[in-house]
C-alpha cells in the first residue's frame, strides 16, 4: 500500500491524490479535493476523509470552487477484492433506479446487516447514505456542467419527483438545485468533465484502440475518442446513444459530450465512459505492484490504462474473431459484421455548422445479440465452426437476457468454441478486470522470454496492467 502524507499532498495540490482523500475545514464547514485552488487552511483546522460520503455524513458541504463531486473515485483501499467493491460496482454500473438494500445484499450473498457493517467499516457510512450521496453529487455535477432542466437532473439521478429531489439536495448540500444551477436550459448535447488522477498515457490508449478500431462505430482524433452505444433497459429494450470525449491533460480529465435517447440512464452511461478510459485507476498502486513483480522501471508505462470495450458482448465478439488470427484480420471481420448488421442513422448538422464545410454523417451501432442471432453470418469469410461460436454467444445473451447471467463471462466456457483465452480476454476488455494474466497468449510468452525472472504473482491484483505492458514490448 502506498503511504500517503495527507498534509504534504494537499499543500502541494498533488493531482495524483485527487479522489484518494478529501480535506474538510472545521472553521468553514466545507470539504474539498486536495487540488482545491483556495488558500490552504492551517493544519489544526483540517480533517481528512477517504470518501466524499464520509465528509457529507460528518456535516460538511461540498466546495463550490473545486467541486468534490468531480473527483475520480480512487480511495486508498480501492482495487482490493472486497464485498464492498462488488457492491460499489453494482451501484455505479446499474445506477440508482429501483435499487434497494435487500436486493443488493442478496446479490452479494450476505445479509443486510452485514452489508451495513462493511460499508460503515470501509466507507464510514451506511449503504443507503452512500447511494443518496452519490445521487446528490452526480446531480450537483449536472447542475454545474449541463443545460439539463432540473426535472431531468432529478430523473437522471434516480428521483421519481422533483420535490423529493429538492428536499434531499438541500438537506445534504444546504443549497437548492436552483441556487447551484449555472447554465440555462438549452437543447444541446449533455457535456460533462470526467477527471482522473494523472498521469494518463493517452498515446498508449489511443494507439491500442486505433489498431482495433470499428470505423463505422468509433471515431478517433489526435486527442479525442467517440462512439455510438446501446444501453439495455430492464424491459429488454435498447436505448441508443453517442458520446465524444476530448482529452484535456491540462485539466487531468476529458470533456465529454453525450447524446442519449433517455436521460434516465445518464449516470450509468457516464460511469461506463469512465470505465472505457479506466479513469479510476490508482496509478501509484499499480506501478508499485509491477515493480514488486520484478519489472524494471524503464519498462513501466507511466499512466497505463486498460482500454475497455463498451460491453461484454462486444468484447466476446472481438475475442472470438481474434482466435488464432492477427489483430488486423480480426478487426476487418469486426467491421464487416457491423456494416452488415448494425443499425444506421443519418445525423443532421446544427444550423451553425452548415457554413463550416461540415457534412451530415451516418452513425452505425454495434449489432445487438438479437441481430446477430437472427443472421446466418454468410457474409463472413471464416470457418463454419467460428460462425457457430459467434451464434452460440449471441443466443446465450438472448436466452439469459435480463437475468444478469449474460454478463457472467465464466458461463461462456460451457459454449462450444469458447475456451479459457477467449473468456479471459473478454473479462479484460469487457469488464475492465484489473487482474487478468493471459499467460497462454503467444505475445505474452514472447515478452516473458525477455524477462524470465518476473514473478507475476507479485503483481496481484493488477496483473491486467502487466498483460498490457508485455503486449507493449512486442
Amino acid at each position: 500500500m502506498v503511504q500517503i502524507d495527507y498534509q504534504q499532498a494537499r499543500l502541494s495540490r498533488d493531482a495524483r491524490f485527487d479522489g484518494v482523500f478529501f480535506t474538510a475545514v472545521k472553521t468553514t464547514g466545507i470539504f474539498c479535493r486536495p487540488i482545491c485552488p483556495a488558500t490552504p487552511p492551517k493544519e489544526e483546522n483540517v480533517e481528512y476523509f477517504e470518501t466524499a460520503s464520509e465528509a457529507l455524513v460528518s456535516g460538511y458541504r461540498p466546495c463550490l470552487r473545486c467541486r468534490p463531486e468531480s473527483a475520480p473515485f480512487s480511495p486508498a483501499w480501492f482495487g482490493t477484492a472486497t464485498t464492498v467493491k462488488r457492491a460499489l460496482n453494482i451501484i455505479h454500473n446499474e445506477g440508482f433506479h429501483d435499487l434497494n438494500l435487500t436486493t443488493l445484499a442478496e446479490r452479494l450473498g450476505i445479509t443486510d446487516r452485514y452489508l451495513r457493517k462493511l460499508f460503515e467499516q470501509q466507507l464510514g457510512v451506511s449503504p443507503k447514505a452512500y447511494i443518496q450521496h452519490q445521487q446528490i453529487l452526480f446531480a450537483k455535477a449536472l447542475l454545474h456542467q449541463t443545460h439539463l432542466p432540473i426535472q431531468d437532473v432529478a430523473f437522471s439521478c434516480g428521483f421519481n419527483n422533483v420535490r423529493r429531489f429538492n428536499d434531499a439536495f438541500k438537506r445534504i448540500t444546504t443549497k437548492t438545485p436552483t441556487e447551484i444551477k449555472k447554465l440555462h436550459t438549452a437543447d444541446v448535447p449533455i457535456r460533462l468533465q470526467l477527471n482522473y488522477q494523472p498521469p494518463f498515457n493517452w498515446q498508449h490508449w489511443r494507439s491500442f484502440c486505433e489498431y482495433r478500431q470499428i470505423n463505422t462505430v468509433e471515431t478517433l482524433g489526435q486527442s479525442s475518442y467517440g462512439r455510438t452505444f446501446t444501453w439495455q433497459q430492464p424491459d429488454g429494450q435498447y436505448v441508443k446513444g453517442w458520446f465524444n470525449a476530448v482529452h484535456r491533460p491540462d485539466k487531468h480529465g476529458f470533456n465529454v459530450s453525450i447524446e442519449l435517447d433517455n436521460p434516465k440512464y445518464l449516470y450509468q452511461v457516464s460511469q461506463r465512459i469512465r470505465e472505457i478510459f479506466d479513469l479510476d485507476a490508482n496509478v501509484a498502486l499499480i506501478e508499485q505492484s509491477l515493480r514488486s513483480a520484478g519489472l524494471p522501471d524503464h519498462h513501466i508505462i507511466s499512466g497505463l490504462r486498460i482500454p475497455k470495450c463498451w460491453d461484454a458482448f462486444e468484447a466476446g465478439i472481438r475475442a472470438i474473431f481474434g482466435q488464432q488470427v492477427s489483430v488486423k484480420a480480426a478487426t476487418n471481420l469486426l467491421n464487416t459484421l457491423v456494416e452488415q448488421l448494425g443499425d444506421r442513422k443519418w445525423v443532421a448538422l446544427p444550423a451553425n455548422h452548415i457554413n463550416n464545410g461540415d457534412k451530415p454523417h451516418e452513425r452505425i451501432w454495434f449489432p445487438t445479440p438479437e441481430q446477430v442471432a437472427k443472421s446466418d453470418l454468410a457474409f463472413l469469410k471464416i470457418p463454419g465452426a467460428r460462425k457457430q461460436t459467434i451464434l452460440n454467444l449471441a443466443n446465450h445473451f438472448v436466452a439469459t437476457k435480463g437475468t444478469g447471467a449474460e454478463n457472467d463471462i465464466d458461463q461462456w466456457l460451457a459454449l462450444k468454441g469458447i475456451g479459457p483465452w477467449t473468456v479471459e480476454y473478454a473479462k479484460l476488455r469487457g469488464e475492465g478486470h484489473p487482474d487478468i494474466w493471459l499467460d497462454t497468449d503467444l505475445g505474452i510468452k514472447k515478452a516473458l522470454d525477455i524477462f524470465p525472472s518476473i514473478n507475476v504473482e507479485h503483481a496481484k491484483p493488477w496483473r491486467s496492467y502487466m498483460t498490457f505492458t508485455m503486449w507493449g514490448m512486442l
Side-chain angles (χ1 to χ4, degrees), residues 309-321 323 366 369 388-390 392-398 400-401 403-431:
C309 300
W310 179 256
D311 57 25
F313 181 65
E314 179 185 321
I317 297 296
R318 285 179 179 271
I320 293 169
F321 278 142
Q323 293 172 351
F366 195 88
Q388 189 57 52
T389 300
I390 294 170
N392 289 345
L393 182 65
N395 284 315
H396 170 74
F397 269 80
V398 173
T400 58
K401 189 173 184 177
T403 66
E406 69 270 32
N407 290 317
D408 184 353
I409 297 178
D410 283 323
Q411 290 192 15
W412 298 4
L413 286 170
L415 304 177
K416 188 174 181 180
I418 293 182
W421 182 91
T422 303
V423 165
E424 293 298 287
Y425 183 90
K427 286 182 179 180
L428 181 66
R429 298 209 58 212
E431 297 178 341

Side-chain angles (χ1 to χ4, degrees), residues 3-24 31-36 43 46-52 54-55 66 68 71-77 197 282:
Q3 298 299 313
I4 303 171
D5 184 333
Y6 287 144
Q7 182 180 6
Q8 181 179 346
R10 77 171 179 88
L11 290 177
S12 62
R13 296 190 175 94
D14 193 332
R16 293 175 300 170
F17 298 103
D18 187 17
V20 174
F21 69 92
F22 297 85
T23 63
F31 76 97
C32 304
R33 297 156 70 181
I35 61 170
C36 186
E43 184 67 17
V46 173
E47 189 173 0
Y48 295 99
F49 298 97
E50 285 195 353
T51 68
E54 284 184 282
C66 67
F73 182 67
S74 297
W77 55 268
Q197 296 167 9
N282 193 317

Side-chain angles (χ1 to χ4, degrees), residues 6-213:
Y6 287 144
Q7 182 180 6
Q8 181 179 346
R10 77 171 179 88
L11 290 177
S12 62
R13 296 190 175 94
D14 193 332
R16 293 175 300 170
F17 298 103
D18 187 17
V20 174
F21 69 92
F22 297 85
T23 63
V25 184
K26 300 172 185 176
T27 52
T28 64
I30 294 173
F31 76 97
C32 304
R33 297 156 70 181
I35 61 170
C36 186
T39 302
K42 295 179 180 179
E43 184 67 17
E44 59 264 28
N45 293 329
V46 173
E47 189 173 0
Y48 295 99
F49 298 97
E50 285 195 353
T51 68
S53 287
E54 284 184 282
L56 287 169
V57 82
S58 297
Y60 292 99
R61 62 185 186 276
C63 174
L64 294 177
R65 292 190 66 182
C66 67
R67 297 193 291 111
E69 72 277 359
S70 298
F73 182 67
S74 297
W77 55 268
F78 189 72
T80 56
T82 65
T83 300
V84 169
K85 182 175 182 292
R86 290 171 55 210
L88 295 180
N89 285 340
I90 293 173
I91 293 169
H92 290 283
N93 291 340
E94 300 183 15
F96 315 115
H97 297 273
D98 304 317
L99 184 65
N100 62 71
L101 180 60
T102 301
T103 303
L104 181 59
E106 288 176 352
R107 292 178 62 177
L108 296 168
I110 58 177
T111 64
D112 300 11
R113 182 179 179 183
Y114 187 53
L115 180 59
R116 285 193 293 269
K117 180 180 178 181
L118 290 177
F119 264 70
E120 291 285 356
Q121 288 176 343
Q122 296 198 30
L123 296 177
V125 295
S126 69
K128 182 178 180 180
Y130 178 84
I131 291 171
Q132 188 163 85
H133 292 157
Q134 297 309 304
Q135 289 177 285
I136 298 304
L137 290 172
F138 184 59
K140 190 168 177 289
L142 296 181
L143 292 168
H144 270 289
Q145 300 178 46
T146 76
H147 292 271
L148 286 174
I150 289 176
Q151 62 185 24
D152 284 355
V153 171
F155 192 48
S156 298
C157 297
F159 290 89
N160 295 323
N161 64 72
V162 176
R163 182 176 178 179
R164 283 187 60 244
F165 169 64
N166 286 337
D167 290 345
F169 193 94
K170 186 171 184 179
R171 175 169 50 81
I172 291 175
T173 69
T174 73
K175 292 182 178 292
T176 67
T178 303
E179 290 174 316
I180 294 291
K181 189 167 178 59
K182 299 293 184 182
L183 302 176
H184 296 294
T185 299
D187 187 18
V188 296
I190 299 162
R191 293 186 174 92
L192 295 172
Q193 182 170 329
L194 303 181
N195 296 313
Y196 60 78
Q197 296 167 9
F200 185 105
N201 196 315
W202 166 252
Q203 288 306 317
H204 180 276
W205 191 98
R206 185 188 183 282
S207 296
F208 185 90
C209 292
E210 183 179 30
Y211 199 42
R212 296 159 178 81
Q213 181 180 358

